[in-house]
Structure formats: structure tokens, C-alpha cells
Amino acid sequence: MAADRARRARSGPRGAPLDAAALTQAGEAIGDMPRRADLLIEALHAVQDRFGCIRHAHLRALAELFRLPPVVPYETATFYAHLDVLPDDAPAPPALTVRVCDSLPCAMAGSAALRDALRAALPEARVIAAPCMGACHRAPACAAGHRLIESASVAAVRRALAEPPRRAEPPGLDAYRARGGHAALGAAGDPDALSALVERAGLRGLGGAGFPAARKWRLTRAHPGPRHLVVNADEGEPGTFKDRWCLETEPHRVLEGMLIAARAIEAETCWIYLRDEYHHLFAPLRQAIAELRAAGVFRGEIHLRRGAGAYVCGEETALIESLEGRRGYPRHKPPFPGERGLFGRPTLIHNVETLWWLPEIVAGGAEAFAAQGRHGRNGRRLFSVSGRVRDPGVKDAPAGITARELVEEFCGGMAEGHRFAAYLPGGASGGILPAAMADLPLDFGTLEPQGCFVGSGAVIVLSDRDDLAEAARNLLRFFRNESCGQCTPCRVGTAKAAALLEAPVWDRALLTELAAAMADGSICGLGQAAMNPVLSLLRHIPEAVP
């Protein structure tokens, strides 16, 4: 009773007191930004960009400005790797942070040695390891602040810091239209006709899951509006950089595909979620959206949002949570986003590459697109190829091409002094196959019998000079670090697996049992597929396992 009376006697707000100076600073940083909960991450970015970090007092101030419980800005800010949350009395972080990619293609190119060299050469900077930056074809890569540096070295980083940043200048709307752009948008039929066309083309979602696009459209349109369309530009799978290539090469083609898909589901609002690692694309995309608005080609709204460093936000429901201003925790399904997605409304989520192909399918016809596949498969794909090949990069190739054909016909063969030993057909979670199985078609449904999948089309080529067991260790460390922590099978399983792989002799039975528990119990694909590299090594290349 005495404790109850004491609690009732308290006056004023609970928790940390509101700091007037921090309130002013936060207010100035976010300016005239609407105080809506879905803009919280944008507000956190604004504070971070202004002050180089986010103090606890700033979080309390944002809670006040956005009328949120104080825990909400804290749990959101501390979830994302690119937001630096510090106590009020902690020393300020160094003015320069250099993130060095440690994902598999960059590790193969010597990123660990680069990180050590940068720490020695730049003692004034904070040099840290970071996950994939979408520059696997020009490894090793690092980012000095927001500036991506490819084929990185100490000298290259010094040069980049001495030069003014160069803004990406992709083609504008007028140039795109002069080459026939928006002809497909003008010719696109009604939603039913569009769905039938895309169904005949055999287009699937190309972010990894491969769900038929036309079926996804129909499922979303079956629920009453208003509806949203979300562009998932948060590719973070190690080895994947095709979406970056699309947005650098022809952003208006991606946006035209977005508008075609919006017409197919009768969406009223479009959202683009761009990973923060692609910071150089934010301003050009904002300009491209402004050009669309000025041209009056879409009556609805188009919003551009910036991620904050979380691989799991590539998962569609985690992306929705992030768009709504929260931690990127995947949701339980059902309901699926097509029924209840962003802000509780029916939502279509498409990967950038899926949208890339829509103008070509509408303008050139479904049958013409489908006929370009190989080995009985339909259409074309953009493969991100990295590793031990002469000419890595994004390869526009027939769907169903084999890894051997991809290396020989599109990549100039293996790099000098390297012999084809193994490959990852679908990035970190797609498994590892030996070169003896490089004649399997790369497409949805062709690799699953081998315990692998093509996923996002990220092909990482390994040679006889690579340690395959160490490659698997690298991939499991990535999954351990990127697990959102929401579900125990993934949070504990990835950490346990990474530890087990450090043993001098792998416990095959325990690893197999752990993989089954993770696949059965994890909420999303991260935990469900994290053990694929290990299981495929045990099954197909057991001689590489200690």
C-alpha cells in the first residue's frame, strides 16, 4: 500500500527528463517534416546526419515531437546498424567512419587485410567491418561515410577523401522518352489484360522467392482498396548488386515498371524503399520522381524512403514494418501483404528487377520475352556474378542458363590462375554446389532437388584456391550478425552454428539437427535458409568439410 501511495504521489513525466536543448536540436534537424510515426526513421536519419550520432536526449526529444512512448525511438534507432546511438555524456564518434565490407566476395578479395591497413593509415577514423555493400563485382569495397569506394585500397580511400563527392547522373525523363520510354506505359491495358500478359510471359518475382507476378497481382487486387505498391530496393544478399545496376543505368525504366504494376492492381500510392548503402542513388531517384510528378503521368503519390542498415528489411513484411517507422521485425503470415500490408491495406511488393522487365514485356509482347529462355525456361534474368571470373558484373542472360555457360559466355571464363571448383547459385542463402554440377539450369525449381535455389540470381564463383569451409563460416557469420533477434531459432541458431563451424572437426549430426530446428521454427527466410551453405557442403562437397 505504501508503494502504491508513493507511485501516486509522483508528479511529472516518467523516465528521462526532456532536455530543452536536445528538443531544439531535433526540431531543427527534422525541419518541417510531418510528425507522423511512419517518418520516425527519416527523422532519426536527419538527426544522425546533422550531429554525427543520436544522443539519448535526442531520442527523448523525438518521442516528444512525434507523440510516441520514449521506448519507441530508442528500440527503433538501436535496431539499425547505420544509426549511432550514444549516451549524452559519451565522447562523440570520430568525424569519419569507414565501413569495410566483409561479405564473401570482398573477403575473397582481401577485405580483412584492407581493414587492418586502413586502421593503421587512418588513425583518426573509425574503421569497422560491415556487410555487403552491393559492390561485389569490384571487390574489395568500403564506404567512407556515405561514399562507396570500389576496388578499394588505402590509396583509393585517400584519393576519395581528397576529392569532392561526385553525384550520380543517370538519364533523365526526356532522354528516356527519346529512346521510347513510357511507350509501354501508354500501351498498357486494363488490369485484367496486364495480368494475362505477364502470366503468359512467365514473369516471377526476382527478389528471391520467385512467386508468379500475375498471381500476386490478382491476389492483391482481390481485396478492396485503397492499395499500395512498394518497390523493394533493399537488396542486401551477399553477391547481389543487380538492383543497384538497374537504378544507376535507367531509373526511369524501373519507375515505368512501377507505374505499370500500380495500374495492374489499381494502386493509389507507390513507395520506394532504398537501402542506405545506395546513398548515392537517393538524390537521383528523388529527381526522377519529381520529373514524373511534373509530367503528370501518375495521379497518386510516390514516396521515397531510406533504409538504415538491416539485411532483414529485404524480407517483405520486415520492410513494411520499417516503412511504418519501426524495427524491421518480420511478421507472421498469414495475413499476407496482398491482403493486409502497409498501414493495414492491400500491398503489392516487387523487387526492382521484376519491375525492370515490365516495360519490355508490355512493349515487345509476352511470347517474345518468354522465348528468350534457355533449357526450357522462360525469359531473361539479370545475374550478379562475382568471385573468380575474368569479367564479373551484372549479366543480362537467358533464364535457365547454366553456371558454366554463364562463366564461359558472359564472364570471359575463369580468372587467370584459377580453376572452377564451386559456386553459389543464389547468394548467401542459396547453397554451394560443386563445379561438377555447374550444368544445372539456373532458374526457379531447378536447384531445389539439390537443396539449393537461384534466389536473387547472385552467382559467386569459387576456385580451387578458395577454402570452401571458410566460405561457409563467412556466410554463417553474416547470418548471425544480421539476424533481427525476434525469434529464438534464428537468433540462437545462427550464433550456435557460427560457433560450431569454428571447431577443428565439424559435428555433422549436430549441424544437421540444428539446421532442421532453424528451418522449422524460424519466422522468416533468414533463419530458414541460413544453414543451406553448410548442408550443401556436407551433401555435395564433403571432402571440403573438416
Side-chain angles (χ1 to χ4, degrees):
M1 294 294 291
D4 290 341
R5 285 194 297 272
R7 281 195 294 269
R8 287 195 295 270
R10 290 173 185 163
S11 61
R14 303 280 179 91
L18 185 62
D19 183 278
L23 184 64
T24 299
Q25 291 173 344
E28 290 175 350
I30 64 177
D32 59 358
M33 181 186 299
R35 272 53 165 174
R36 298 198 319 262
D38 63 286
L39 288 168
L40 176 60
I41 295 173
E42 293 296 315
L44 290 166
H45 273 305
V47 174
Q48 169 99 18
D49 292 343
R50 173 73 69 90
F51 301 106
C53 64
I54 304 170
R55 299 288 183 178
H56 286 180
H58 291 141
L59 295 174
R60 180 68 182 85
L62 289 174
E64 179 72 16
L65 292 169
F66 282 79
R67 295 291 184 241
L68 295 169
V71 69
V72 174
Y74 180 83
E75 69 181 11
T76 302
T78 55
F79 179 84
Y80 294 96
H82 290 186
L83 301 177
D84 293 316
V85 177
L86 295 176
D88 297 334
D89 57 354
L96 175 65
T97 295
V98 179
R99 291 180 166 86
V100 182
C101 178
D102 65 356
S103 290
L104 182 56
C106 284
M108 293 163 60
S111 64
L114 172 65
R115 187 169 66 248
D116 292 341
L118 286 171
R119 284 173 176 162
L122 302 172
E124 73 282 6
R126 176 177 58 166
V127 180
I128 59 176
C132 186
M133 299 176 182
C136 319
H137 55 316
R138 296 177 185 138
C142 69
H146 288 306
R147 191 180 310 186
L148 180 63
I149 303 169
E150 300 172 310
S151 303
S153 63
V154 171
V157 172
R158 289 191 186 280
R159 283 195 302 272
L161 294 174
E163 299 170 353
R166 286 174 288 183
R167 176 175 166 173
E169 295 289 349
L173 180 58
D174 290 341
Y176 179 61
R177 283 178 161 175
R179 293 191 302 276
H182 282 192
L185 181 61
D190 61 38
D192 291 329
L194 277 172
S195 296
L197 177 74
V198 167
E199 188 170 49
R200 294 199 308 275
L203 183 67
R204 291 172 175 257
L206 298 174
F211 195 83
R215 193 187 310 171
K216 202 171 187 179
W217 292 0
R218 293 189 181 107
L219 289 171
T220 305
R221 191 163 163 253
H223 298 283
R227 304 180 190 90
H228 297 284
L229 185 144
V230 174
V231 180
N232 184 348
D234 193 51
E235 61 177 3
E237 186 83 9
T240 309
F241 45 92
K242 60 188 175 66
D243 291 353
R244 173 191 164 193
W245 179 88
C246 292
L247 293 169
E248 288 178 341
T249 303
E250 197 74 274
H252 276 291
R253 175 168 169 168
V254 176
L255 295 178
E256 183 179 11
M258 176 189 76
L259 297 180
I260 291 170
R263 181 177 299 179
I265 66 162
E266 300 176 299
E268 298 182 9
T269 309
C270 295
W271 304 76
I272 303 171
Y273 187 92
L274 180 70
R275 69 184 308 223
D276 196 40
E277 288 82 353
Y278 294 169
H279 190 268
H280 66 291
L281 290 173
F282 191 82
L285 265 178
R286 188 166 49 196
Q287 174 62 31
I289 293 168
E291 290 177 322
L292 285 182
R293 289 196 186 106
V297 296
F298 182 61
R299 295 180 180 178
E301 296 183 0
I302 303 174
H303 301 278
L304 177 60
R305 292 286 186 269
R306 177 177 159 194
Y311 164 72
V312 74
C313 287
E315 195 276 337
E316 60 181 8
T317 61
L319 187 153
I320 289 172
E321 287 287 306
S322 189
L323 276 176
E324 293 183 359
R326 295 188 288 273
R327 295 174 293 183
Y329 273 4
R331 298 175 179 177
H332 289 277
K333 295 182 282 191
F336 292 91
E339 176 185 357
R340 192 183 307 157
L342 187 61
F343 307 122
R345 305 308 310 169
T347 303
L348 172 67
I349 304 171
H350 266 326
N351 163 261
V352 167
E353 188 196 349
T354 308
L355 301 174
W356 174 266
W357 294 116
L358 284 177
E360 181 172 331
I361 291 170
V362 172
E367 289 72 21
F369 178 80
Q372 297 178 70
R374 192 178 288 189
H375 302 299
R377 316 306 294 185
N378 293 331
R380 302 207 313 277
R381 287 208 64 172
L382 299 176
F383 291 94
S384 306
V385 185
S386 61
R388 310 301 190 183
V389 295
R390 288 182 185 272
D391 181 26
V394 174
K395 308 299 176 181
D396 181 343
I401 193 171
T402 70
R404 197 180 310 280
E405 292 168 340
L406 190 63
V407 169
E408 295 299 327
E409 298 177 28
F410 289 84
C411 302
M414 295 294 293
E416 187 70 29
H418 291 269
R419 180 175 56 81
F420 194 3
Y423 67 105
L424 282 70
S429 54
I432 304 175
L433 289 171
M437 301 178 71
D439 297 313
L440 295 170
L442 295 174
D443 202 11
F444 299 108
T446 60
L447 304 176
E448 281 77 358
Q450 310 302 327
C452 298
F453 53 80
V454 71
S456 62
V459 179
I460 305 175
V461 179
L462 307 173
S463 81
D464 56 330
R465 294 166 61 176
D466 291 311
D467 183 337
L468 302 188
E470 180 55 33
R473 294 187 192 99
N474 177 283
L475 299 172
L476 262 295
R477 289 194 295 268
F478 167 79
F479 289 123
R480 176 198 63 195
N481 295 342
E482 292 301 315
S483 173
C484 75
Q486 179 181 193
C487 67
T488 302
C490 178
R491 181 184 67 251
V492 176
T494 53
K496 182 66 173 178
L500 287 172
L501 296 186
E502 296 298 328
V505 178
W506 289 6
D507 188 330
R508 289 161 169 78
L510 184 55
L511 286 167
T512 302
E513 181 182 357
L514 177 61
M518 293 169 63
D520 292 342
S522 296
I523 292 174
C524 80
L526 192 158
Q528 293 165 6
M531 290 295 282
N532 282 350
V534 175
L535 294 177
S536 55
L537 271 189
L538 293 174
R539 177 179 175 183
H540 299 296
I541 320 176
E543 65 274 14
V545 174

